[in-house]
């Protein structure tokens, strides 16, 4: 039997023929705009009667919302694919800004709609959402209404949004502009080069310590030179956010991020408490790694240093088969999904110039298909990335038939299926390593990620919460920012490092993102949440897949506490679940410590 050969180029023509020149896409965008206008007219003309009659209107509006939302997403995802496959596609950039404009208009109408829901009395509301036809959507509808209730009046919120364009959001954009001008000098082969911050950052994973150290010195200096501008930017960005919170009567800075992620403060506190209690072993790993590198202690710039290199390469075909085989050990549906994605050309993996860096998985709702983007050159980490993105694809695939408004999951559960799929494949890679050296390289790669999520992200979280508390009293100086960051890093890394990165508040883009506040703890939550499910799957064996799918289908229509109680029979505000999840990470460290004993 001849082996099938999968194509490593995706098929986009099934959506719109002709790429950025597609007349079909032009029509689609026109239709989307018309739908948004229609939606707007309907909302503007609606005054809730505050009776059961409102339910009919609500159902009609929800149908419109679904249709419009899907159309918008279909276009946005397709254009995202065009931009990724060819970064020189100028027409795609123009199309992209067109979609951004449409999305903004749609969001504004939605805001007005959510606000109107607040004028319906609680009693009438409860009756409406318990109707058979709306029951399934009750959680999200009530969430919209509750969130609108906690905000200011429609007019005031509209004013905040309008002022935010040149206030709040422009501070975030100013950050990007300042960063784009920063150059980090670096001497290579006797020649001094000016690296962009992205290029300089990549040097931190260079195996040569002298290179890492030299880049780090210049890195700190480059950020230090701009520190006053960056501190001003951060102070005003956070000041704007805090002022809005104050006007709305919110005193907890974590209120909004927790609400967006549909989780309780108690859950977050329990997660960090369990992590903190288990850091001893992470510190042992850092000590061993230092020893292996011939150092007393690691420094900040050593954290991404690889343990070694592996020569092993898998062709795209071999990588695909490895993934399918190992997915099959978990469940048939996951494996069949991967096979379909490979066969039906859902994946763009070709290693050629002109592609964007990185990887993603995007969903085209009108076609009920996903597309995966990455550059595959055959390394074990490429195979893991491919499995990761297929996991994202499986998440949306598992949600087939779930209403559109119940599919918009938050950041903290967005990585559930991807991390899960990646773990299956990364564990299989470690098991099938050709020799001990290769096994160590693969293990080290996994542990580095654990260190990043349990220590680096922890430092970001500690810094950001403390910074926002202090900022309530007024702007904070560069010196103080450095101090708060240094303290957070020392604490998060348990004093295990020789040298830290006090200017991390400046070099980390995530503190300057205005679209989502607190762009840190959801990463750690998502990672451990997925590992906790993985621990259950390992314990229960092959029959687990149906339960897993049932959980995925509910990820966007309940709180994480309810999700875990319903599908995992665990209480996320208690330590048990988190201890099991952290335990999975610690097993890798145990193995690493054992294999490197005496080396
Ligand atoms: Zn992902």
């Amino acid at each position: 039997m001849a082996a099938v050969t999968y194509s490593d180029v995706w098929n986009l023509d099934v959506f719109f023929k002709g790429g950025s020149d597609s007349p079909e896409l032009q029509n689609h965008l026109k239709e989307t705009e018309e739908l948004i206008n229609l939606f707007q007219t309907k909302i503007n003309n609606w005054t809730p009667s505050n009776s059961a009659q409102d339910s009919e209107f609500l159902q009609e509006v929800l149908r419109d919302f679904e249709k419009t939302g899907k159309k918008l997403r279909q276009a946005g995802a397709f254009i995202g694919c065009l931009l990724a496959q060819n970064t020189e596609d100028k027409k795609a950039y123009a199309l992209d800004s067109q979609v951004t404009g449409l999305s903004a208009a749609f969001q504004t109408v939605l805001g007005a709609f959510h606000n109107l829901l607040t004028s319906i009395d609680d009693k009438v509301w409860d009756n409406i959402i318990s109707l058979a036809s709306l029951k399934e959507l009750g959680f999200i509808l009530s969430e919209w209404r509750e969130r609108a209730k906690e905000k200011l009046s429609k007019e005031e919120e509209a004013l905040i949004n309008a002022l935010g364009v040149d206030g709040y959001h422009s501070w975030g954009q100013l950050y990007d502009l300042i960063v784009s001008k920063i150059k980090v000098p670096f001497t290579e082969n006797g020649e001094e080069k000016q690296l962009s911050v992205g290029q300089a950052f990549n040097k931190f994973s260079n195996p040569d310590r002298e290179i890492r150290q030299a880049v780090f010195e210049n890195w700190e200096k480059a950020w230090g030179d701009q520190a006053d501008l960056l501190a001003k930017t951060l102070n005003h960005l956070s000041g704007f956010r805090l002022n809005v919170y104050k006007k709305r009567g919110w005193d907890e800075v974590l209120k909004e991020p927790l609400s967006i992620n549909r989780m309780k403060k108690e859950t977050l506190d329990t997660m960090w408490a369990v992590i903190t209690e288990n850091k001893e072993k992470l510190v042992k790993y850092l000590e061993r790694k230092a020893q292996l590198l011939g150092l007393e202690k690691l420094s900040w710039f050593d954290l991404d240093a690889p343990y070694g290199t592996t020569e092993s390469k898998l062709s795209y075909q071999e990588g695909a088969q490895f993934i399918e085989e190992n997915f099959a050990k978990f469940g048939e549906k996951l494996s069949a999904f991967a096979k379909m994605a490979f066969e039906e050309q859902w994946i763009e993996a070709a290693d050629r110039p002109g592609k964007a860096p990185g990887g993603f998985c995007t969903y085209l709702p009108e076609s009920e298909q996903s597309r995966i983007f990455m550059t595959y050159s055959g390394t074990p980490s490429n195979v893991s990335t491919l499995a990761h993105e297929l996991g994202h694809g499986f998440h949306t695939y598992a949600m087939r038939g779930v209403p559109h408004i119940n599919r918009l999951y938050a950041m903290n559960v967005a990585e559930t299926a991807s991390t899960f799929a990646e773990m299956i494949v990364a564990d299989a890679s470690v098991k099938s390593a050709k020799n001990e050296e290769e096994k160590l390289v693969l293990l080290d790669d996994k542990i580095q990620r654990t260190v990043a999520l349990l220590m680096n992200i922890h430092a970001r979280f500690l810094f950001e919460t403390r910074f926002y508390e202090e900022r309530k009293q007024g702007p904070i100086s560069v010196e103080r920012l450095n101090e708060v960051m240094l303290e957070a890093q020392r604490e998060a890394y348990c004093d295990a490092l020789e040298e830290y990165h006090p200017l991390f508040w400046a070099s980390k883009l995530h503190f300057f993102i205005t679209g989502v506040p607190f762009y840190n703890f959801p990463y750690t939550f998502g990672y451990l949440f997925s590992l906790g499910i993985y621990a259950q799957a390992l314990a229960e064996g092959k029959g687990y897949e149906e339960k897993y799918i049932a959980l995925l289908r509910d990820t966007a229509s309940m709180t994480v506490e309810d999700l875990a109680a319903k599908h995992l029979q665990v209480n996320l505000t208690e330590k048990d679940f988190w201890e099991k999840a952290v335990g999975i990470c610690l097993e890798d460290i145990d193995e690493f410590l054992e294999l490197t004993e005496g080396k």
Side-chain angles (χ1 to χ4, degrees):
M1 198 179 80
V4 259
T5 309
Y6 293 142
S7 165
D8 60 0
V9 179
W10 59 16
N11 181 347
L12 296 182
D13 278 348
V14 292
F15 308 121
F16 300 100
K17 277 194 198 70
S20 49
D21 285 317
S22 168
E24 288 170 46
L25 178 62
Q26 280 305 333
N27 268 339
H28 179 97
L29 288 171
K30 226 168 119 196
E31 279 170 32
T32 313
E33 190 174 358
E34 283 163 11
L35 279 173
I36 294 171
N37 290 338
L38 214 72
F39 190 57
Q40 187 172 23
T41 312
K42 258 186 207 172
I43 298 298
N44 287 347
N45 292 328
W46 182 46
T47 313
S49 62
N50 206 11
S51 70
Q53 278 175 358
D54 288 332
S55 71
E56 275 154 47
F57 181 79
L58 213 55
Q59 287 178 58
E60 186 190 325
V61 166
L62 288 171
R63 278 192 295 274
D64 292 346
F65 170 77
E66 169 142 358
K67 199 171 168 199
T68 314
K70 279 181 166 179
K71 267 217 165 335
L72 202 52
R73 178 93 192 252
Q74 180 88 1
F78 179 77
I79 294 161
C81 290
L82 294 179
L83 286 169
Q85 68 174 8
N86 175 14
T87 53
E88 302 285 309
D89 191 339
K90 296 214 169 66
K91 282 182 186 154
Y93 282 101
L95 289 165
D96 191 42
S97 14
Q98 209 178 329
V99 171
T100 309
L102 291 174
S103 297
F106 190 49
Q107 284 307 322
T108 308
V109 193
L110 280 179
F113 171 54
H114 296 169
N115 195 278
L116 283 167
L117 300 179
T118 63
S119 57
I120 301 175
D121 286 344
D122 288 352
K123 218 168 181 180
V124 179
W125 180 260
D126 288 343
N127 285 333
I128 289 177
I129 59 160
S130 53
L131 290 171
S133 50
L134 286 172
K135 208 170 180 178
E136 200 185 359
L137 311 176
F139 176 82
I140 300 294
L141 292 174
S142 293
E143 185 178 65
W144 285 351
R145 181 167 170 266
E146 289 308 315
R147 284 182 186 169
K149 265 187 183 172
E150 289 177 338
K151 290 187 177 172
L152 297 163
S153 71
K154 200 166 82 180
E155 292 71 24
E156 285 168 309
E157 289 292 336
L159 182 62
I160 290 171
N161 277 335
L163 294 176
V165 176
D166 286 307
Y168 189 47
H169 298 298
S170 53
W171 290 114
Q173 286 158 11
L174 181 64
Y175 176 79
D176 295 337
L177 183 66
I178 298 169
V179 172
S180 73
K181 297 196 183 296
I182 294 179
K183 295 283 176 247
V184 182
F186 176 70
T187 309
E188 201 166 30
N189 306 325
E191 189 194 335
E192 194 181 272
K193 288 181 183 166
Q194 299 295 325
L195 304 181
S196 69
V197 296
Q199 289 171 317
F201 182 80
N202 286 338
K203 299 272 181 217
F204 293 136
S205 42
N206 195 294
D208 185 344
R209 187 166 203 257
E210 275 176 35
I211 290 181
R212 295 197 302 272
Q213 191 161 17
V215 171
F216 187 69
E217 260 168 48
N218 293 338
W219 172 265
E220 277 277 305
K221 188 173 179 312
W223 290 104
D225 288 345
Q226 303 299 332
D228 51 350
L229 272 180
L230 294 167
K232 192 167 175 65
T233 305
L234 186 61
N235 271 303
H236 292 311
L237 185 153
S238 53
F240 191 106
R241 188 185 292 171
L242 285 169
N243 275 327
V244 172
Y245 286 176
K246 199 171 162 190
K247 291 276 172 219
R248 288 178 184 157
W250 303 355
D251 3 289
E252 281 288 334
V253 287
L254 284 171
K255 179 185 166 55
E256 190 178 31
L258 286 169
S259 154
I260 291 173
N261 288 289
R262 302 184 177 121
M263 64 191 277
K264 286 186 187 157
K265 175 83 179 3
E266 242 181 304
T267 298
L268 183 65
D269 291 342
T270 309
M271 178 185 90
W272 287 128
V274 171
I275 290 172
T276 304
E277 283 163 16
N278 283 284
K279 279 200 176 156
E280 208 179 309
K281 199 156 271 169
L282 292 170
V283 170
K284 278 212 178 92
Y285 160 78
L286 294 175
E287 286 167 0
R288 179 64 56 83
K289 187 86 185 275
Q291 211 180 313
L292 293 167
L293 296 176
L295 302 165
E296 190 80 18
K297 266 178 161 185
L298 294 181
S299 281
W300 185 267
F301 53 83
D302 295 317
L303 289 166
D304 290 333
Y307 170 77
T309 49
T310 150
E311 300 299 313
S312 285
K313 294 246 172 178
L314 291 181
S315 70
Y316 184 62
Q317 191 66 28
E318 288 164 341
Q321 262 151 14
F322 187 76
I323 290 172
E324 283 178 34
E325 275 165 33
N326 286 292
F327 278 1
K329 289 177 192 159
F330 164 69
E332 267 114 42
K333 289 193 173 153
L334 179 60
S335 167
F337 168 78
K339 192 168 192 297
M340 175 187 72
F342 285 118
E343 279 175 355
E344 296 184 6
Q345 288 181 262
W346 285 20
I347 305 162
E348 166 61 51
D351 189 357
R352 56 171 169 80
K355 283 175 72 165
F360 63 78
C361 178
T362 190
Y363 180 61
L364 294 103
E366 286 190 331
S367 322
E368 296 198 323
Q369 291 188 24
S370 293
R371 284 297 179 268
I372 286 169
F373 178 85
M374 68 169 295
T375 300
Y376 185 94
S377 60
T379 65
S381 117
N382 288 158
V383 181
S384 294
T385 304
L386 187 51
H388 178 103
E389 301 307 341
L390 280 164
H392 278 303
F394 187 68
H395 196 163
T396 40
Y397 179 75
M399 287 181 127
R400 276 181 335 280
V402 173
H404 182 68
I405 80 164
N406 281 356
R407 300 183 65 146
L408 311 170
Y409 44 72
M411 186 181 161
N412 60 340
V413 287
E415 297 298 333
T416 307
S418 55
T419 308
F420 190 94
E422 192 181 339
M423 282 300 287
I424 293 176
V425 167
D427 275 353
S429 295
V430 172
K431 282 207 184 85
S432 62
K434 287 188 190 68
N435 51 49
E436 198 178 287
E437 264 325 277
E438 186 174 306
K439 186 175 238 175
L440 281 170
V441 173
L442 296 170
L443 270 176
D444 188 58
D445 193 58
K446 282 185 80 192
I447 302 168
Q448 273 188 23
R449 172 142 154 221
T450 298
V451 171
L453 284 152
L454 307 191
M455 293 176 129
N456 185 311
I457 305 271
H458 195 194
R460 296 184 209 180
F461 175 77
L462 291 173
F463 165 80
E464 202 163 26
T465 34
R466 290 166 189 174
F467 162 69
Y468 270 84
E469 266 325 302
E470 276 193 44
R471 178 64 183 86
K472 286 180 181 170
Q473 317 309 324
I476 297 172
S477 68
V478 170
E479 292 69 33
R480 182 64 192 144
L481 283 166
N482 288 347
E483 220 171 81
V484 178
M485 181 53 88
L486 186 62
E487 211 173 286
Q489 290 178 342
R490 282 218 165 102
E491 192 176 325
Y493 285 90
C494 306
D495 278 315
L497 303 185
E498 175 76 42
E499 201 180 329
Y500 295 87
H501 178 24
L503 282 156
F504 192 46
W505 61 266
S507 75
K508 197 76 227 168
L509 159 80
H510 296 64
F511 299 122
F512 296 84
I513 290 176
T514 52
V516 189
F518 273 77
Y519 217 83
N520 44 56
F521 70 82
Y523 281 122
T524 307
F525 177 97
Y527 181 59
L528 291 179
F529 186 62
S530 185
L531 291 190
I533 301 169
Y534 187 66
Q536 280 204 0
L538 290 179
E540 290 194 27
K542 224 180 161 179
Y544 197 72
E545 190 172 38
E546 288 306 320
K547 286 189 197 172
Y548 176 61
I549 290 173
L551 176 140
L552 292 179
R553 291 175 72 81
D554 276 343
T555 39
S557 52
M558 55 183 71
T559 67
V560 289
E561 289 84 11
D562 287 350
L563 184 69
K566 179 175 172 189
H567 295 283
L568 305 170
Q569 289 77 48
V570 295
N571 183 345
L572 288 187
T573 63
E574 286 170 8
K575 287 183 175 176
D576 191 51
F577 173 83
W578 300 107
E579 276 163 357
K580 286 196 177 107
V582 173
I584 293 246
C585 310
L586 301 184
E587 276 172 29
D588 287 336
I589 300 184
D590 282 332
E591 199 175 352
F592 184 87
L593 292 174
E594 210 174 290
L595 290 171
T596 53
E597 184 77 61
K599 276 205 177 189

